[in-house]
């Protein structure tokens, strides 16, 4: 094969590998699955493109060192961090960077023990379950409690650091939490910051985005809002967003479940038959009965 023909073959191979239809399908599904989050989606596409190029370069012998893949997802709760982590695990698996399309979600309680000699076995057990895939640690800053000299979280951090460095070819770690607290955590643990290659910020949802999220949640379950209920839902969101412990999409999901509960109770009390239209429709009163309107507070959100 002459040099031109060889070059064309390599170019053709590169085009095929870079435009992986499975990866494109995952990214398109992520666009449809999550409302808003345009900066996040762009960063995920950039990472997917970077890894696709890196994979091709390694196959052609242009580079041999595996890129660092540990990540930090920062932002308020309920903004899609766990969902994006799941899709990232799939992308990494499809591109051959992890052995399994596997995500393990852990928190401080899963990693840190309550007495001497308890933390190391707990942390190592979680790492064992996650090995070959992705470990997602939510509220990662809770591992380090500077105010408590006897806290065992530092032991878990040290074990994590060793694994993130020495076994980075068989495990990807994603740390998640509020932006300001994650910054403090990294400042107090510079070794952890140095092992994180990708920092992705998840912006809070707007009211309009949360409204669309609620409509999508209802539609997936075969429900819809009456015109009056749509107005009530917007009023609900305005009030709920101003209250403490608001968790964006998570709070919307919990609210939708309560709307369905009230609708079911209303229909159950009705005398006579119930139409399919009634079974599908959330009415304004199902929303206005919320304690957000009555007491200026909301029932405790599920975690």
């Amino acid at each position: 094969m002459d040099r031109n023909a060889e070059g064309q073959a390599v170019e053709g191979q590169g085009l095929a590998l870079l435009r992986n239809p499975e990866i494109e399908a995952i990214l398109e599904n992520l666009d449809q699955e999550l409302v808003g989050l345009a900066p996040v989606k762009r960063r995920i596409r950039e990472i997917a493109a970077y890894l696709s190029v890196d994979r091709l370069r390694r196959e052609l012998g242009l580079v041999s060192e595996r890129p660092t893949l540990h990540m930090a997802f920062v932002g308020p709760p309920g903004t899609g961090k766990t969902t994006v982590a799941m899709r990232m695990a799939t992308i990494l698996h499809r591109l051959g960077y992890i052995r399994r399309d596997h995500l393990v979600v852990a928190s401080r309680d899963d990693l840190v023990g309550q007495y001497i000699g308890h933390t190391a076995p707990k942390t190592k057990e979680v790492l064992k379950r996650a090995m070959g895939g992705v470990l997602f640690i939510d509220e990662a800053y809770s591992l380090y409690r500077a105010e408590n000299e006897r806290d065992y979280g530092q032991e878990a951090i040290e074990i994590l650091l060793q694994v993130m460095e020495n076994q980075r070819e068989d495990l990807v770690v994603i740390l998640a939490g509020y932006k300001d607290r994650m910054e403090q955590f990294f400042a107090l643990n510079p070794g952890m910051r140095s092992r994180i290659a990708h920092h992705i910020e998840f912006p809070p949802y707007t009211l309009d985005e949360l409204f669309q999220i609620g409509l999508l949640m209802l539609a997936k379950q075969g429900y819809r809002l009456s015109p009056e209920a749509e107005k009530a839902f917007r009023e609900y969101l305005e009030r709920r967003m101003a209250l403490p412990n608001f968790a964006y999409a998570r709070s919307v999901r919990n609210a939708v479940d309560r709307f369905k509960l009230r609708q079911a109770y209303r229909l159950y009390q009705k005398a006579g038959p119930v139409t399919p239209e009634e079974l599908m429709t959330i009415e304004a009163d199902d929303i206005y009965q919320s304690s957000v309107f009555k007491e200026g507070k909301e029932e405790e959100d599920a975690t």
Side-chain angles (χ1 to χ4, degrees):
M1 181 182 294
D2 62 33
R3 185 174 299 275
N4 289 337
E6 183 179 355
Q8 291 173 359
V10 170
E11 289 178 4
Q13 181 186 15
L15 181 60
L17 287 170
L18 289 176
R19 293 292 182 180
N20 187 317
E22 290 185 339
I23 303 303
E24 288 299 314
I26 294 167
L27 295 172
E28 289 175 8
N29 288 337
L30 189 65
D31 282 339
Q32 298 172 4
E33 187 176 10
L34 293 178
V35 172
L37 299 179
V40 174
K41 293 173 181 177
R42 178 175 177 82
R43 283 299 306 278
I44 298 303
R45 284 189 171 274
E46 289 174 347
I47 293 171
Y50 167 67
L51 295 179
S52 296
V53 169
D54 176 76
R55 176 185 174 182
L56 178 56
R57 285 170 57 85
R58 286 189 291 120
E59 290 179 352
L60 296 177
L62 299 175
V63 67
S64 59
E65 185 175 343
R66 172 188 168 102
T68 300
L69 297 173
H70 304 310
M71 306 178 189
F73 290 180
V74 301
T79 49
K81 293 189 290 294
T82 305
T83 298
V84 172
M86 293 172 60
R87 301 299 170 262
M88 180 55 67
T90 301
I91 290 171
L92 293 172
H93 175 64
R94 295 288 192 274
L95 290 174
Y97 287 92
I98 55 177
R99 292 184 285 112
R100 300 189 291 164
D101 182 356
H102 179 61
L103 178 78
V104 170
V105 178
S107 64
R108 175 187 166 88
D109 290 343
D110 300 306
L111 299 166
V112 181
Q114 299 177 347
Y115 52 84
I116 295 175
H118 192 206
T119 294
K122 289 189 71 172
T123 301
K124 290 177 181 178
E125 176 58 31
V126 171
L127 289 168
K128 181 180 178 181
R129 288 193 287 114
M131 203 60 66
V134 175
L135 174 60
F136 180 87
I137 304 177
D138 200 13
E139 297 185 350
Y141 38 74
S142 66
L143 295 177
Y144 185 79
R145 294 179 175 174
E147 72 281 1
N148 185 355
E149 294 181 357
R150 300 180 60 186
D151 184 69
Y152 303 117
Q154 186 61 40
E155 184 179 1
I157 292 173
E158 291 172 0
I159 295 172
L160 281 170
L161 286 172
Q162 292 176 4
V163 171
M164 289 169 70
E165 180 64 26
N166 299 330
Q167 295 179 262
R168 61 182 182 272
E169 293 192 358
D170 202 31
L171 180 70
V172 173
V173 176
I174 299 178
L175 307 177
Y178 287 103
K179 181 180 180 180
D180 56 345
R181 298 188 64 182
M182 288 296 291
E183 285 298 323
Q184 294 173 8
F185 174 71
F186 287 133
L188 293 170
N189 296 274
M192 188 68 78
R193 181 191 292 274
S194 68
R195 287 166 173 79
I196 300 297
H198 305 283
H199 294 257
I200 302 178
E201 183 172 352
F202 287 65
Y205 287 115
T206 66
L207 188 149
D208 285 340
E209 288 171 340
L210 289 170
F211 180 77
Q212 291 301 319
I213 288 170
L215 294 183
L216 287 172
M217 289 178 178
L218 287 165
K220 287 180 179 179
Q221 300 172 61
Y223 288 87
R224 61 190 175 210
L225 299 176
S226 69
E228 295 77 13
E230 288 190 4
K231 178 182 177 182
F233 184 40
R234 281 189 172 275
E235 292 180 25
Y236 170 88
L237 289 173
E238 289 178 350
R239 294 174 181 242
R240 183 66 187 90
M241 291 175 74
L243 295 176
N245 303 317
F246 182 64
Y248 294 92
R250 191 180 306 162
S251 291
V252 171
R253 181 192 65 210
N254 293 332
V256 164
D257 287 342
R258 286 190 283 267
F259 300 160
K260 290 159 50 185
L261 187 70
R262 297 188 190 106
Q263 182 241 32
Y265 184 68
R266 171 174 55 81
L267 294 177
Y268 188 79
Q269 290 184 308
K270 177 184 176 182
V274 178
T275 66
E277 180 74 18
E278 290 176 308
L279 290 170
M280 295 173 61
T281 306
I282 303 292
E283 297 291 352
D285 194 52
D286 303 324
I287 300 174
Y288 282 129
Q289 288 184 49
S290 169
S291 57
V292 166
F293 294 99
K294 293 185 175 183
E295 303 171 31
K297 63 180 184 179
E298 183 57 291
E299 297 94 333
E300 190 70 24
D301 275 342
T303 57

